[in-house]
Amino acid sequence: MKRILALVLVVAATLLARQAGGEGLRTAALGLGFALIAAALAGDLFEHLWLPRVSGYLIFGLVCGPSVANIISRSMARELQLFNGLAIALIAFMAGLELNIRHLRPRLPALLRFGWRTMALLYGGLFAAFWLSWPWLPIDPAATGLARLALVVLLTTVVASFSPTVTIAVITDTRSRGPLSEATIALVVLADLALILFFTFSMQAVRWALGGAAEQTVGMLPRVTWEVIGSLAFGAAAGSLFALYMRYVGRELTLVLLALCVVLSGVGARFDFEPLLAALAAGLVVENIAAPGSVALKEAVEQGARPVLIVFFAATGASLHLDALALVGVVALAVWVLRLVLIYAGTTFAARRSTIDPAVGRSVWMGLVSQAGVTVGLVIIVATEYPTWGRGVEVLIVALISLNELVGPILFRSALARHGEIARMDAPAPLEAVADPAGT
Amino acid sequence: MSERPSVIFHEVGGRDPIDAALRTRRGPGGFGRLDLLLRTRQALGLRATPAPALVFVPLGVLLGPHVLNLLSPNVLGHLDAVVSVALATLGVFVGLALNPRSRQDRRLLWAADLESTVTIVMVAAATLFLLVAWQAPVDAPPLAAALTLGICAAASSGGAAEVRGNLYHVVATHIAELDDVVPIVAGGLVLVALRGATVWQAGLLAALTGALGLIVGAAGWLLFERAHDAAERGVFVVGTIVLLGGLAAYLSLSPLLAGLVAGWFWRQSPGRADRIIRDDLQKIQHPLVILLLITSGASLEWSRLALWLFAPFVLFRVAGKLAGAKAAERLAAPVTAAELGAYLLPPGVIGIAFALNVLQVAPPVTGSAVMAAVAAGSLVCELLALIELPGRGDEA
């Protein structure tokens, strides 16, 4: 009851300011403060309903955002998105901390086989469906021949993408640990690597097919290599420096961790590095080489992660475009159902033909439904370069993301709950890890 | 006697977890204090310095658009929100220190209010006379501009080196800590008047600032003790402070005043809200203060008006503080006027913070002139204090 009263007070103060100040210019701190408190309370309410807290943050953002109540105005939502880079880097860093290579290595070949079979079926199914239904899709119905082929490949690549950010955020938020969490993280990260390659090549194919200024393949390869290898190297170097700081200074870890994430997202972007990969590499280095199982780091991550997750998902919710969903609702719904069915079919098919734990194989599809920031980033590239038909792709994908954002975290949380992995991050370390601390 | 029992180091961010882990130094005398500024941990901002402005304002100038341009105008624009939050944080700490329960505390609060009011009046009157006489090109009402300088001059940090068990030191620093209340309250009014508001409008908007501080304070009070875990409590604490700063910034009001009201509310309300917010905020207070000072340095724009205002600011601030100390002498006993005046010399952070707030909301010519004059004047006053502040009591 007192929490509800506090929420009423916070909403009242914000509305009072909005009423007195109109559409002010300095909106960042107001949006941030309001989102932090109110979304945290909404997330808490969702947890009581056995739903993921991140869904609570999202729904809060959607309800208070410009599409519905407009307490968070469009300019506030834009300001909140400044935190996206930091959030993505922090979430990926946490994913790196959860990936113990020694632990994962025996299962990696099976996961790779499982992953490529799933992706092959998903890509194949989407490609066939888009090719056949092209005249009815609100993109460029008149396209034929090679142009249509290239456009279908591009659309397939974007629609098939997953969201490592949301998946990892759900795992972090629910404090989950176990085979399903580990397998899902590994799959979404591998899929993200594949996505960077596929998208680069499919954009190149579109440029070539539509007669644009296609980049030379020879020039494109070093760029992709720079983006992938460079990101990993940059992240590993940053992770090593962070580990040195932990060892020799070790104070104010939360602040330094957040600063590291700002560097990984801000500085990395200037050099065309992928923040997700760089931060993942940093986390991997810290967990697997420098400071495995550090309690101080765990506390620092816990302190820093919660507010960042709240702001990130509230901002995402506030920027969900219900208008786009209304515009292409039926088509978006059809594509959403198709993607869902193909992910389920792909994982079921791949699970039967690999040595992956059958229980994990049956449930992992639920962790692959979400789509978010990475997909939005890709679709913005397309719409900027090809404003005519690219706008059609943007509207369709944004509507699709809105559906996946709302459903994905709920599905994944229920899978984690079914596997009993929720809150296992807080459980004591397994006996094998503590029995022989010297490693002899 | 115990170690400065009732004084909260609300400005320099002292007693943060790092400082607590370190052995307390006895205060050196004379020029030996300069040595404190050269210590690596202090220079890096990892430990509170007695005069942080002396280190971080020049560092801000160096990093700012006119020298290295690492803090470009675009970056400074993004830091605007952080500045508002830092201002609210400072206000909260002043509000938390405001707890005049005993007769002695009330007496010291009156002494602090009296000396800061005298300083505001002296500096504002002198500045107003000069602005009119020079026909200075200010783009805000001259009275409001003069009062702004008076308010910036009135704050003191009492930033003397810590001396254990010395009654003079305890009383004088306590007055210096408490004399931020009047400038913050007056600043809430003047900030609105600077934009040409009438007295009625200024009063109304200052009341709105206080009301917002109370509403957010009440929301925080309902939440802090009911958090499920430390992470959630951290979210509530940070969210509350950011909301305080954000509401004031959105309406171009004073985050310092909103923070002061909320801090006072938490101190007076039942429960542990004041202790929770103090403990949690101390983790971010020191970095926020440093950021605020660096941003001040980077935002400095010198103009002829700033140069005109700089010398009178220093001169009349010193005179105002000495006159204020004389006026408050009877209430500050056993400390004499001369001793108290010396303790009140270091301006600390609040004056610069308020000037930065003025820069955010006031018309540009007045805003940047006040910022430059106050920042430079505060540095000069800090240097004067380093030389002048009594080292007595080291032997106590």
Side-chain angles (χ1 to χ4, degrees):
Chain A
M1 188 62 199
K2 285 184 175 167
R3 284 175 167 245
I4 293 171
L5 185 59
L7 183 60
V8 169
L9 287 173
V10 168
V11 173
T14 309
L15 284 175
L16 182 65
R18 292 288 313 277
Q19 196 79 24
E23 185 54 58
L25 289 173
R26 299 162 65 211
T27 58
L30 176 58
L32 183 61
F34 175 66
L36 268 174
I37 300 179
L41 293 171
D44 186 52
L45 181 70
F46 267 59
E47 201 178 31
H48 279 101
L49 301 172
W50 297 96
L51 292 168
R53 268 200 292 227
V54 293
S55 296
Y57 310 150
L58 267 169
I59 302 282
F60 157 81
L62 181 65
V63 171
C64 293
S67 296
V68 187
N70 200 30
I71 301 174
I72 297 179
S73 65
R74 215 165 277 283
S75 63
M76 282 186 201
R78 241 193 331 271
E79 298 269 12
L80 284 179
Q81 285 182 337
L82 289 174
F83 293 87
N84 282 4
L86 167 70
I88 289 170
L90 182 64
I91 291 167
F93 182 82
M94 290 188 292
L97 292 181
E98 288 305 310
L99 287 177
N100 190 304
I101 301 287
R102 196 168 63 96
H103 202 226
L104 198 62
R105 191 179 291 152
R107 282 176 287 156
L108 204 54
L111 275 171
L112 280 172
R113 279 196 296 275
F114 179 85
W116 88 254
R117 281 173 183 147
T118 304
M119 297 290 287
L121 203 138
L122 178 61
Y123 271 71
L126 284 173
F127 177 84
F130 290 149
W131 180 264
L132 293 173
S133 62
W134 188 255
W136 295 280
L137 293 176
I139 297 170
D140 186 9
T144 51
L146 280 176
R148 178 166 160 181
L149 180 68
L151 289 173
V152 168
V153 169
L154 181 68
L155 183 64
T156 302
T157 306
V158 178
V159 171
S161 64
F162 303 139
S163 171
T165 318
V166 177
T167 305
I168 295 162
V170 172
I171 290 172
T172 311
D173 196 51
T174 52
R175 322 278 311 136
S176 299
R177 177 174 284 163
L180 179 62
S181 313
E182 220 166 56
T184 314
I185 290 180
L187 277 174
V188 292
V189 168
L190 290 171
D192 196 52
L193 276 172
L195 176 70
I196 292 171
L197 296 173
F198 289 161
F199 181 75
T200 310
F201 286 111
S202 53
M203 267 308 271
Q204 197 63 16
V206 168
R207 287 179 195 128
W208 179 74
L210 298 185
E215 203 177 327
Q216 292 295 315
T217 312
V218 181
M220 190 176 64
L221 280 174
R223 197 161 63 80
V224 175
T225 312
W226 170 263
E227 196 172 324
V228 175
I229 309 289
S231 303
L232 294 173
F234 172 63
S240 307
L241 286 176
F242 181 71
L244 284 174
Y245 178 86
M246 277 176 63
R247 172 172 289 186
Y248 292 108
V249 183
R251 298 179 197 277
E252 307 283 1
L253 271 187
T254 306
L255 280 177
V256 178
L257 173 64
L258 292 177
L260 172 77
C261 292
V262 170
V263 170
L264 286 169
S265 61
V267 179
R270 284 192 180 189
F271 296 97
D272 289 332
F273 294 145
E274 176 66 31
L276 194 101
L277 290 182
L280 186 84
L284 275 170
V285 166
V286 172
E287 171 60 24
N288 290 281
I289 300 168
S294 162
V295 176
L297 181 59
K298 190 182 157 201
E299 283 173 5
V301 167
E302 276 175 18
Q303 288 279 330
R306 184 80 66 88
V308 173
L309 285 181
I310 290 172
V311 175
F312 175 69
F313 282 100
T316 308
S319 56
L320 285 182
H321 290 265
L322 290 186
D323 47 346
L325 197 57
L327 205 65
V328 290
V330 178
V331 179
L333 199 65
V335 174
W336 179 73
V337 172
L338 175 70
R339 181 176 177 273
L340 207 66
V341 169
L342 285 171
I343 289 174
Y344 177 75
T347 52
T348 310
F349 165 79
R352 284 190 191 143
R353 278 159 184 77
S354 70
T355 53
I356 194 170
D357 177 2
V360 170
R362 275 195 299 275
S363 302
V364 77
W365 70 275
M366 293 175 160
L368 305 180
V369 173
S370 299
Q371 278 186 311
V374 176
T375 316
V376 174
L378 299 184
V379 93
I380 285 172
I381 294 173
V382 177
T384 309
E385 195 165 333
Y386 297 100
T388 47
W389 56 265
R391 173 71 188 146
V393 176
E394 189 180 19
V395 171
L396 177 65
I397 298 297
V398 167
L400 194 63
I401 288 171
S402 302
L403 289 168
N404 284 324
E405 278 292 31
L406 296 174
V407 176
I410 296 172
L411 275 177
F412 190 36
R413 190 197 183 278
S414 71
L416 291 169
R418 195 187 301 165
H419 281 253
E421 295 190 7
I422 289 180
R424 290 234 323 243
M425 225 182 252
D426 300 320
L431 278 177
E432 59 170 5
V434 293
D436 186 5
T440 51
Chain B
M1 187 183 278
S2 64
E3 181 187 339
R4 299 179 74 182
S6 56
V7 178
I8 295 167
F9 304 89
H10 61 74
E11 288 184 0
V12 292
R15 288 280 162 223
D16 59 22
I18 300 174
D19 300 310
L22 295 169
R23 191 165 55 87
T24 308
R25 278 175 57 86
R26 287 169 71 84
F31 286 102
R33 286 187 177 84
L34 286 172
D35 167 62
L36 286 173
L37 303 178
L38 302 174
R39 292 179 184 281
T40 315
R41 291 179 63 78
Q42 290 170 330
L44 289 173
L46 292 171
R47 189 182 179 198
T49 62
L54 277 177
V55 179
F56 297 109
V57 173
L59 182 63
V61 175
L62 187 69
L63 298 175
H66 297 301
V67 187
L68 295 176
N69 199 28
L70 287 173
L71 294 176
S72 63
N74 187 34
V75 174
L76 289 174
H78 285 309
L79 285 176
D80 186 77
V82 188
V83 167
S84 300
V85 176
L87 291 169
T89 308
L90 282 176
V92 165
F93 273 94
V94 176
L96 288 174
L98 195 56
N99 188 34
R101 295 232 164 121
S102 71
R103 193 184 158 87
Q104 163 80 352
D105 283 341
R106 277 196 296 276
R107 191 168 59 87
L108 293 183
L109 179 61
W110 278 114
D113 291 348
L114 185 61
E115 68 85 1
S116 56
T117 307
V118 169
T119 310
I120 290 175
V121 171
M122 273 193 72
V123 175
T127 309
L128 182 62
F129 174 77
L130 291 173
L131 284 175
V132 174
W134 291 338
Q135 293 184 318
V138 285
D139 52 356
L143 178 61
L147 278 169
T148 305
L149 278 174
I151 288 165
C152 292
S156 316
S157 78
E162 192 169 342
V163 183
R164 287 173 187 234
N166 184 295
L167 181 64
Y168 294 92
H169 180 88
V170 170
V171 170
T173 46
H174 203 166
I175 290 173
E177 298 288 341
L178 288 170
D179 76 352
D180 298 333
V181 177
V182 170
I184 290 176
V185 175
L189 284 160
V190 170
L191 214 53
V192 185
L194 271 171
R195 286 178 286 144
T198 61
V199 175
W200 167 248
Q201 286 170 325
L204 204 66
L205 287 171
L208 176 65
T209 316
L212 290 172
L214 278 179
I215 295 174
V216 178
W221 176 68
L222 288 167
L223 291 171
F224 297 155
E225 287 191 65
R226 286 160 195 89
H228 298 313
D229 50 42
E232 190 180 55
R233 198 183 62 209
V235 169
F236 290 149
V237 168
V238 173
T240 305
I241 298 299
V242 175
L243 188 60
L244 277 171
L247 285 166
Y250 186 80
L251 296 170
S252 298
L253 300 173
S254 165
L256 279 166
L257 180 56
L260 173 88
V261 173
W264 172 81
F265 178 84
W266 289 321
R267 185 64 194 255
Q268 304 306 320
S269 56
R272 296 185 303 117
D274 55 340
R275 272 161 286 166
I276 289 173
I277 195 111
R278 184 182 303 149
D279 291 347
D280 277 20
L281 277 190
Q282 275 181 350
K283 293 172 193 157
I284 57 168
Q285 178 197 7
H286 196 202
L288 278 179
V289 168
I290 288 168
L291 196 71
L292 193 137
L293 291 172
I294 288 177
T295 309
S296 305
S299 309
L300 286 188
E301 291 278 351
W302 279 101
S303 62
R304 190 178 293 176
L305 180 61
L307 285 172
W308 280 353
L309 294 175
F310 160 68
F313 176 80
V314 175
L315 186 67
F316 290 109
R317 183 179 186 279
V318 173
K321 281 292 166 193
L322 293 175
K326 183 70 187 162
E329 188 177 19
R330 208 162 59 84
L331 292 165
V335 181
T336 64
E339 287 166 336
L340 183 60
Y343 269 98
L344 296 175
L345 269 185
V349 178
I350 299 282
I352 294 177
F354 182 65
L356 194 56
N357 198 187
V358 169
L359 181 66
Q360 287 178 321
V361 300
V365 174
T366 307
S368 54
V370 165
M371 178 75 247
V374 170
S378 298
L379 295 189
V380 172
C381 289
E382 291 285 6
L383 283 171
L384 283 173
L386 277 175
I387 298 161
E388 270 306 308
L389 209 58
R392 128 192 42 208
D394 285 12
E395 69 282 356

